[in-house]
Amino acid sequence: DAKTTQPPSMDCAEGRAANLPCNHSTISGNEYVYWYRQIHSQGPQYIIHGLKNNETNEMASLIITEDRKSSTLILPHATLRDTAVYYCIVRVGTGTYKYIFGTGTRLKVLA
Amino acid sequence: DTGVSQNPRHKITKRGQNVTFRCDPISEHNRLYWYRQTLGQGPEFLTYFQNEAQLEKSRLLSDRFSAERPKGSFSTLEIQRTEQGDSAMYLCASSLPSGIEAFFGQGTRLTVV
């Protein structure tokens, strides 16, 4: 599976959009981009995933560049409860959930 | 269903002792995964089961580690002769074969003193 690169930390004001970037320049054509987050002392929680097209669900939006070498997770209206470590992962679309996690981005939402 | 359940949540053990953790996956999830997470790092894959068959093991899983899933339901992870370097959070996850996502438990935090 391809590796990902994320900034180690980011701050965001409460109520504003949080835009978390991820670089996955070695991604293969059959690899999906997944985002998970981990709130302190809990297990990782699924947020969203995508292959080529932009995706949106009740939690977030995922914007994938046309060349698929990078993506951005958008939390439209960040709240204090969104403070967490966010992991960007690439995974082959079929088969196991053998994720390769990096060190993620520590997002701090400020009041 | 209350999600993936892991027990105990915390375990403190003396170096050299054996420890065993349990994971109860979400019902009907036939895939089960173990990960290890050390402080400041992302989770690292250890092993994976499909039903009762252990299909993949990471080279991180030394011969002191053994995982089982005897009836394709719950799983246990045993660490023999624990070392201080084994101190970590041990996470379990489960999924359906065609599921979109893997669901993680809260983890078991092991401290070896």
Side-chain angles (χ1 to χ4, degrees), chain A residues 34 36 38 95 97-99, chain B residues 31 33 35 37 56 99-100 102:
Chain A
Y34 274 72
Y36 275 76
Q38 189 171 26
Y97 286 91
K98 179 187 169 185
Y99 296 124
Chain B
R31 292 185 175 178
Y33 308 80
Y35 285 79
Q37 184 174 27
E56 189 169 351
I100 293 172

Side-chain angles (χ1 to χ4, degrees), chain B residues 6 21 34-37 46 65 77 79 85-92 106-110:
Chain B
Q6 292 190 245
F21 311 139
W34 285 98
Y35 285 79
R36 180 177 69 185
Q37 184 174 27
L46 292 179
F65 287 70
L77 178 67
I79 309 175
D86 297 331
S87 294
M89 174 79 84
Y90 290 84
L91 292 160
C92 176
Q106 302 267 47
T108 294
R109 181 167 297 283
L110 173 67

Side-chain angles (χ1 to χ4, degrees), chain B residues 60-87:
Chain B
L60 294 174
L61 212 65
S62 76
D63 54 9
R64 294 185 300 105
F65 287 70
S66 63
E68 293 183 343
R69 195 181 182 198
K71 297 183 179 179
S73 57
F74 72 91
S75 175
T76 58
L77 178 67
E78 181 183 16
I79 309 175
Q80 296 182 326
R81 305 181 303 280
T82 52
E83 302 173 356
Q84 286 190 320
D86 297 331
S87 294

Side-chain angles (χ1 to χ4, degrees), chain A residues 34 36 38 40-46 49 87 91 94-103 106, chain B residues 9 31 33 35 37 40-43 45 48 56 89 91 95-96 98-102 104-106:
Chain A
Y34 274 72
Y36 275 76
Q38 189 171 26
H40 183 61
S41 297
Q42 296 184 20
Q45 175 193 21
Y46 168 82
H49 78 287
Y87 294 102
R91 184 184 76 84
T94 58
T96 72
Y97 286 91
K98 179 187 169 185
Y99 296 124
I100 299 175
F101 288 81
T103 52
R106 185 171 298 275
Chain B
R9 291 292 312 279
R31 292 185 175 178
Y33 308 80
Y35 285 79
Q37 184 174 27
Q41 301 299 312
F45 171 81
Y48 147 63
E56 189 169 351
M89 174 79 84
L91 292 160
S95 72
L96 292 167
S98 57
I100 293 172
E101 67 202 85
F104 284 81
Q106 302 267 47

Side-chain angles (χ1 to χ4, degrees), chain A residues 1-55:
Chain A
D1 294 329
K3 292 186 178 177
T4 60
T5 305
Q6 299 176 252
S9 65
M10 293 180 64
D11 290 341
C12 176
E14 189 178 19
R16 304 296 295 268
N19 296 280
L20 291 88
C22 179
N23 181 288
H24 32 79
S25 57
T26 60
I27 194 169
S28 300
N30 62 346
E31 288 183 318
Y32 285 72
V33 179
Y34 274 72
W35 283 83
Y36 275 76
R37 74 180 182 184
Q38 189 171 26
I39 296 171
H40 183 61
S41 297
Q42 296 184 20
Q45 175 193 21
Y46 168 82
I47 301 172
I48 199 168
H49 78 287
L51 182 62
K52 295 181 184 177
N53 300 321
N54 298 336
E55 302 287 345

